[in-house]
Amino acid sequence: MHHRSLPASPNWYCSRCSDVTDSGLLGFGAKNVIYLVDASASSCRVVGELVGHRDLVSSFSFCHHVGQSHVCVSSSTDGTIRFWDSEKKVLLRENASHQHAIAAVHWSPVDKNMVVSGDEKGVVICHWYHTGDIVSFFPEPRKVFCLSCSPHVWNQVAVGYKDGMIVLIDVSRKGAVLHRLRGHDDEIHSLAWAPSAGEDALYSRPEDGPAANGVTEGEKGGCYLASGSKDQTVRIWSTEKGKGVMTLKLPYLKKRGAGADPGVKERLWLSVHWPKGRPTQLVSSCFSGELVMWDLTKTGKQKWTLFGTSSEGQNHSRIVFNMSSVRLQDGRELIFSTSMDREIKCWDLVSLDCCWTLPTLGGFAYALTFSPVAAGCLALGVGDSMIRVWSTLTIQNQYDTRSFWQGIKSKVTALAWHPTREGSLSFGTDDGKVGIYDVFSNKPPQISATYHSKTVYTLSWGPPVPPVSFGASGNKPSFSLYSCGGEGVVLQHDPCQLSGEASDIDRLIRDTNGIKHKLSPHTDLSWKPDGKVVAIGNEDGSVEVYQAPSLKLLCSIQQHHKIINTLRWHHDHGSQAELQFLLASGSTNAKVFIHDLRSIIESPPDGPVVLTEPHRTLSGHTARITDMAWSPHHDARLVTVCYDGTAQVWDVLQEAAVSNYRGHAGHLLCVDWSPVDPDVVWTGGKDSTVQEWSVSKQEFTKPPKGKKMMDKMKTNPKQKKKSRKEAGPEGAPPPSVEIPPRSVNGEGEQVETSAPGEEPSGEEEGASTRSAVPPPELHFLSVKKRKPRALLPLSTCMDHRSKEELLQDCITLATVRNSQAPPAGCIPGQGENIHLGLFSDRQALYRMLEAEEKGHVDAGHPESVMYIRLWSGDLEGALQFATETGELNDHLLSVAPMAGYQVWSRTVEAYVKQLCLQEQYLKAASHLLSINKLYEAVHLLQSHKLYREAIALAKARLPPEEPVLKELYTSWAAVLEKDGHFSSAAKCYLAAGASFDAAKVIARKSDVTSLRTAAGLARISGEADLARSLSLRCAKDLAAAQDWVGAQEVLSTQDDLLVHRLHFCVTELLTVTLAESDVTWSCVSNHPWASPGGRHGSIQDLIRGVWEEEFGVSGSSAAQGVAQALLQDLKALESPQPTANIPLKQVLTYSSLHLTRAVLSWLGEDDGELMKEFWQAVAWPRDAGLLSVSAALCRLLFPNGDVTVCSRKYPKILRHTEERVKAASDSLLAFVHYHRLYESWWSHSASSQTRSSDAGQESVERNSDAGQESAERNSDAGQESAERNSDAGQESAERNSDAGQESAERNSDAGQESAERSSDAGQGSTHERQNGLASSLGDAQAGDVVNDKVVNGESGVCICPATRTGDDERIDFKASVLLCEAQAACQAIHRSIAEIQERLAAMMAQHSQAQGGQPNPGESQAGATQPSSTTTADAGKRPGDQESLLSLSTKMMEYHKKLAELPETVKMYPHPDVVECCLVLLHFGKRSTAVSDSLRREATDLLRKYGTTGSAHKAAQRFLT
């Protein structure tokens, strides 16, 4: 695609970044690209690129095996290994097995499939190309610098490390170390194996011995290994013995024509190469880029021969990094070298002469232009701070280039040849300088005294305009140099007096055109070749055309709407004269407009004309237009370059695309047409290459469409940052920043950074002085030191002039010192005699220092400015300048007191601000202390979250009662608390005296340990209320975990928590006692007084005894007041209404709460409160659905069934006169006898098989009837009770069904009746109970007593009450208490209300279905179960019995009225279901004499009166007929 090109510079500081095949194909890594060069002994040509790495290429190697030599491998600092096909230029495979930057890679010369790589952490990986397998080794925990595979044995690899160690490893033995070669003191830069096996090649003569070579005898089993190190030595090692056999010290060679600076230590990179077929000759690099050939068999001091001695300038001028050799088919042996001087050289190993040199570019190609006078002379402005002048027409050397770097300290961004003077080349730089070089002399450039404040983007030669044109005819130049900078200013420089001040042409434009408003910032300018008009592009997208020399505004072109990047006039030597008036403009909007200005230029209008329509429009590019050039060989043919990465040739008049070039791998920045070949165009860009290509040989015609071509080439921003930090090591110094796209006053496009590997100038070693300071710990291949900057560069450069001028200086100085008046125009220390200020008087010295200071300011060297001011005695000025530029340091601060206290104090404060910006807060606070600003130092540390340091400082220097301390502690505690560091926050609160907050923050963790600690802290600190609260929380958590001992220990620390200790004691005793009956679980930890076994009497007796023994709470008259006070405290605790979903632990807690209140009421002689609390203690588990727990608690409280006997151990008979107390006593007695009734029934069933069968049958009938009655009665219960009772009813139905089946075998009629009643019971059990109390059915069924499981809680054990084993057939309790007519009436009303509610619900459901409506989501579940309920309710009704909604509502009101008329005590203290008890007694008495006749008659009467409706009707029929 292209003819010739200058590639990017090979990467620096890499041990193996280039290699060559046997056919002469040279490959080298440059930035993140691998360039391929077809090399021979006479010429070279870049033939392709391998693009794909995301970061710098650190190593490269070809496969040197027949049939596979086109395959190569490369490594990168991005941690990847890539295999390439160099013929097809495609990627074959990628491997990312390394986790860190790779330092070296080598393809084994013995095994065609083995590749070895090593990274900066010491990991060595063996890759197998044919299978893709890898094997990893870690021979040494050191940083790998280089490695090399043995050319004789496939499994041996030599690895060189940063610390000077060399290790030989065996990859076939898992990386086992064969030898550790110690001798070098610094980095190992290169390793090279001897080309022949064996260790006898160095002994060519028998007389050679240890004195000559240090070798005692030849070795036949191993191979020699050469190493080059930074310690300036080359060592030869015996791999058989594992030790060194020869040491070669580099010679000091003085470069011709250059003096050595003894104050600057030379850089060194010692590369070694052992050419094939030359076992006794070794090539190495030297200090300043020379190559030397060592004869290892030669005796004497000088064993080396220098390359390139036949003529001047053959050697490299900088250190050499890589060497590789090849023997061509014609027999010639060549060696290729890459160097820091950015040249690739080819050497003949026989003559040791340089065959050819390939120049490379170390930065972006920002500008290129052909000389209008010297044909084929191409100037290149490059980002490596050098100008290259390429004689492209030289036949002998196709790459005949010269480099110019003197006086250039920044990127060269603009170039312009003088139109008529041969060799005069103007240049502009990134730092705003404008200068002129004479490329045919060795003189330094002339630099304009006027700098731009930003990057110089454009240079143009044109006729002078005022004020330069006002000079005398003899002094008036024929051309002026115009420069346009990034700040938007166009300056006119007089090339004859560059030391004078340049003029801003905006002044002339304003004066001539009477412009009062602010002019738009300028971005580009172009003079018409005849010099009559100039076109100036602006930031706002306008183009203005002015007439010379007055710069009268002719027209303003308002077509672009974005910044103008380039303007070009058509040449004036075409066949069509009218074409010379064509102006092409390129902008950021990707379009090129062509303007025909013939009429305006030939007939200037009186006033400026505004043009809004272009003559031609060239569309096709997709990004910013950066440069363009008219063909000097054609009419109206234009080439443009763009950020889309392509160059486009246009036929302007036809608006047609002619050819599109896509050979670059980055944005294009510059273009020019060959002055001698009409078909050749030259382009340069961000890929750091300049390429020559033919218009007619391109594959594409138009630019690429859609997404920018270069998007895929953009580097990841994170990779860019990494590349900047590690730039030097992997092949280039720290990259400098790319010139931003044209922007003015900081308002342009975003600045883009350069690609990895952008290299600095040729003058400054390594990193450019404008680059950022490298990190403290440089990468393993980074540059260690830089050449120090000269303090007096202006005067120093004057000493580098020609011999004649230096001698003339001596005459001038003698004249000045020995005469009263100096020669005319000679002022020492100023102008051209600035350097004489050092040798003249003090005033001359001050003038020199002033000029030097100004130069440093313009160049951006603040440190040098400060030194000059310090040395000249202006200490305050130096400090002020350092303050303004942010360059204060410890040294300046140490001398600041010499300027006075006020200056020193201001300087310290400024330095503190600077340190804060640098995030050096501790250092900043320390400096504040030096000027006695303690509070400010503390506040500084606090504001940056350095609380620990701030507290340490304040506590050490301030009084203890200082409020600042408390504020610091409080602020820090808030931050710690927010981050979850509660213990540390508590310490801060304690230190601040906020004990309450300390306890609260510790308690936020809410675990037992934290709560215990918080309670103790609050107690110690005197926060009694908080200590009680936290202790109680902790004790509750311990009790929930059944750790009763721990709970009591926590409560015992607070004397005012005695009542809670009593409550926890009762809970523990109740839990342990119930656990003996398998009702609850066993405890984790309990007290000895709560141990199970050996108890007699009621549980309240046990509680009272424990209270007296353990807590000192007794029933004496003196203690009654204490008991009453404790009771009042305990009543403050809430006791919610029980529900079916409360866990068993919580049920026992609330039940024990009422039991504790009951015992305290007993001790306080309050019998009424005692009975109420007993009733509540029993009601809690019953109402929560825990039937077995309620039954067990009744047995524990009243073992003999008499509720009037509170205690037998402490004789106490209860006498009740109050109505409510008596009602509670009767209800409690009823439930006690209710449970005893079931115990008697089951005891009777166990004594006789027949009686058991009858009891089972009667149980079914009874439970069926009871279930029906309960359903009718419990109509107003909550949803939770309904769900619980539904489950209970279902279990009851299943158990009763089984019982009915057994009865059916004995009595088919009875079994049938039982099945029906059981079904009714199952349906009715889903109904709810009024007042939130549990369904009597759930409490009444014998099957529930046997099989009821502890719900909602921890135990699933089936509870069966103890049965009596005697044969006594009499009931030993007063069963008549169960047959309370008032309660029966109340329960009947509840059943009737429930039945009406069910019928109303069924009626509404039927109505909804008849209307075709869908039930809402809340009714869906009820509707799903409605049919069965309706069927049950309406089973016995005839069609005529159906009632209306109005009648049902009327009945509902009547029942509610009757319910309201009942006594409150009847509704407040309910009894067991009376109808259920009647059925049980009648079933029991049917086959037993235990029930008396009077009791049966009473039960029959109640059943007849209240059991003839609902589901109990069927069960009652057999007893009523």
Side-chain angles (χ1 to χ4, degrees), residues 1400-1514:
L1400 286 173
M1403 186 179 297
M1404 294 179 65
Q1406 291 174 0
H1407 177 74
S1408 177
Q1409 293 176 0
Q1411 294 296 326
Q1414 296 294 331
N1416 59 47
E1419 297 171 350
S1420 59
Q1421 184 175 359
T1425 60
Q1426 192 62 39
S1428 62
S1429 301
T1430 304
T1431 303
T1432 302
D1434 298 340
K1437 291 189 176 294
R1438 297 182 299 276
D1441 295 337
Q1442 298 293 335
E1443 296 178 287
S1444 65
L1445 177 63
L1446 181 60
S1447 63
L1448 290 176
S1449 301
T1450 303
K1451 285 185 177 182
M1452 178 74 77
M1453 294 176 61
E1454 292 176 356
Y1455 284 128
H1456 278 295
K1457 185 176 181 181
K1458 290 180 181 180
L1459 189 62
E1461 294 174 352
L1462 293 175
E1464 288 298 326
T1465 55
V1466 174
K1467 293 180 286 186
M1468 183 178 300
Y1469 298 101
H1471 285 218
D1473 196 321
V1474 177
V1475 174
E1476 175 189 354
C1477 293
C1478 291
L1479 289 173
V1480 173
L1481 287 172
L1482 290 176
H1483 277 289
F1484 193 17
K1486 190 174 181 180
R1487 292 175 175 78
S1488 173
T1489 61
V1491 182
S1492 64
D1493 294 338
S1494 61
L1495 193 58
R1496 267 184 287 184
R1497 283 195 301 271
E1498 186 179 356
T1500 303
D1501 293 341
L1502 288 175
L1503 193 61
R1504 181 178 291 110
K1505 187 174 181 179
Y1506 300 105
T1508 57
T1509 59
S1511 59
H1513 177 69
K1514 291 183 180 180

Side-chain angles (χ1 to χ4, degrees), residues 1141-1201:
N1141 294 324
I1142 297 182
L1144 178 58
K1145 290 181 180 179
Q1146 195 169 350
V1147 170
L1148 292 180
T1149 300
Y1150 288 120
S1151 184
S1152 63
L1153 174 64
H1154 292 290
L1155 189 54
T1156 306
R1157 291 176 180 175
V1159 177
L1160 287 174
S1161 300
W1162 177 19
L1163 297 178
E1165 299 296 336
D1166 189 347
D1167 294 350
E1169 195 66 26
L1170 168 63
M1171 185 53 64
K1172 292 179 183 179
E1173 295 297 342
F1174 273 151
W1175 186 88
Q1176 288 284 359
V1178 174
W1180 244 98
R1182 182 186 71 247
D1183 294 345
L1186 304 176
L1187 308 176
S1188 57
V1189 176
S1190 179
L1193 185 56
C1194 286
R1195 291 194 299 272
L1196 293 175
L1197 289 172
F1198 309 106
N1200 299 322

Side-chain angles (χ1 to χ4, degrees), residues 253-272:
L253 303 173
K254 185 177 181 181
K255 298 172 64 175
R256 294 187 179 92
D261 187 350
V264 179
K265 184 179 180 180
E266 292 281 353
R267 276 195 190 86
L268 175 64
W269 185 274
L270 211 171
S271 179
V272 296

Side-chain angles (χ1 to χ4, degrees), residues 8-12 17 28-31 321-322 338-339 342-344 360 731 759:
S9 298
N11 290 335
W12 298 355
C17 207
F28 62 90
K31 301 182 181 178
F321 293 112
N322 300 124
T338 65
S339 168
R342 301 183 179 90
E343 291 183 341
I344 301 174
T360 61
E759 297 174 357

Side-chain angles (χ1 to χ4, degrees), residues 1217-1455:
T1217 58
E1218 186 183 351
E1219 181 182 359
R1220 288 180 178 270
V1221 177
K1222 189 176 185 307
S1225 176
D1226 292 342
S1227 175
L1228 183 59
L1229 180 62
F1231 279 105
V1232 171
H1233 288 178
Y1234 173 76
H1235 294 301
R1236 293 176 65 85
L1237 173 63
Y1238 275 99
E1239 291 178 10
S1240 299
W1241 185 14
W1242 283 105
S1243 176
H1244 181 269
S1245 300
S1247 64
S1248 171
Q1249 180 66 29
T1250 304
R1251 284 183 295 174
S1252 177
S1253 300
D1254 293 340
Q1257 177 180 348
E1258 294 170 10
S1259 173
V1260 174
E1261 297 170 352
R1262 171 179 54 77
N1263 289 329
S1264 176
D1265 298 339
Q1268 179 66 24
E1269 295 171 8
S1270 176
E1272 295 172 352
R1273 173 169 54 83
N1274 300 330
S1275 60
D1276 296 330
Q1279 182 62 27
E1280 296 174 343
S1281 178
E1283 296 173 357
R1284 171 174 52 78
N1285 291 331
S1286 176
D1287 297 337
Q1290 182 65 28
E1291 295 176 16
S1292 173
E1294 295 173 357
R1295 291 192 295 269
N1296 293 334
S1297 177
D1298 296 339
Q1301 182 64 32
E1302 295 174 6
S1303 299
E1305 296 176 357
R1306 297 188 297 272
N1307 189 330
S1308 61
D1309 294 338
Q1312 178 65 27
E1313 183 178 354
S1314 172
E1316 293 174 359
R1317 285 192 298 272
S1318 177
S1319 176
D1320 293 340
Q1323 298 292 343
S1325 65
T1326 61
H1327 295 302
E1328 301 169 353
R1329 184 186 61 77
Q1330 189 180 16
N1331 297 331
L1333 298 176
S1335 172
S1336 293
L1337 174 63
D1339 293 323
Q1341 293 176 357
D1344 279 347
V1345 178
V1346 178
N1347 297 312
D1348 176 37
K1349 296 183 179 180
V1350 179
V1351 295
N1352 300 327
E1354 329 301 337
S1355 177
V1357 181
C1358 294
I1359 307 300
C1360 179
T1363 59
R1364 294 180 294 123
T1365 59
D1367 295 331
D1368 184 9
E1369 301 223 349
R1370 304 301 299 173
I1371 296 178
D1372 59 354
F1373 58 88
K1374 188 178 179 181
S1376 59
V1377 299
L1378 300 174
L1379 307 180
C1380 178
E1381 185 170 358
Q1383 290 288 343
C1386 181
Q1387 294 165 3
I1389 293 173
H1390 283 308
R1391 283 195 291 270
S1392 298
I1393 292 175
E1395 183 178 353
I1396 292 175
Q1397 288 177 338
E1398 185 175 333
R1399 294 174 64 184
L1400 286 173
M1403 186 179 297
M1404 294 179 65
Q1406 291 174 0
H1407 177 74
S1408 177
Q1409 293 176 0
Q1411 294 296 326
Q1414 296 294 331
N1416 59 47
E1419 297 171 350
S1420 59
Q1421 184 175 359
T1425 60
Q1426 192 62 39
S1428 62
S1429 301
T1430 304
T1431 303
T1432 302
D1434 298 340
K1437 291 189 176 294
R1438 297 182 299 276
D1441 295 337
Q1442 298 293 335
E1443 296 178 287
S1444 65
L1445 177 63
L1446 181 60
S1447 63
L1448 290 176
S1449 301
T1450 303
K1451 285 185 177 182
M1452 178 74 77
M1453 294 176 61
E1454 292 176 356
Y1455 284 128

Side-chain angles (χ1 to χ4, degrees), residues 17 20 36 49 114 147 173 229 243 327 364 397 435 550 578 629 653 820 891 1205 1226 1334 1389 1416 1504 1508:
C17 207
V20 62
L36 302 176
E49 303 165 356
M114 190 178 79
L147 61 81
R173 294 165 50 193
S229 171
K243 64 179 183 179
R327 181 187 292 271
F364 298 166
N397 183 6
S550 62
E578 65 273 10
L653 299 181
Q820 296 295 329
H891 169 248
V1205 179
D1226 292 342
I1389 293 173
N1416 59 47
R1504 181 178 291 110
T1508 57

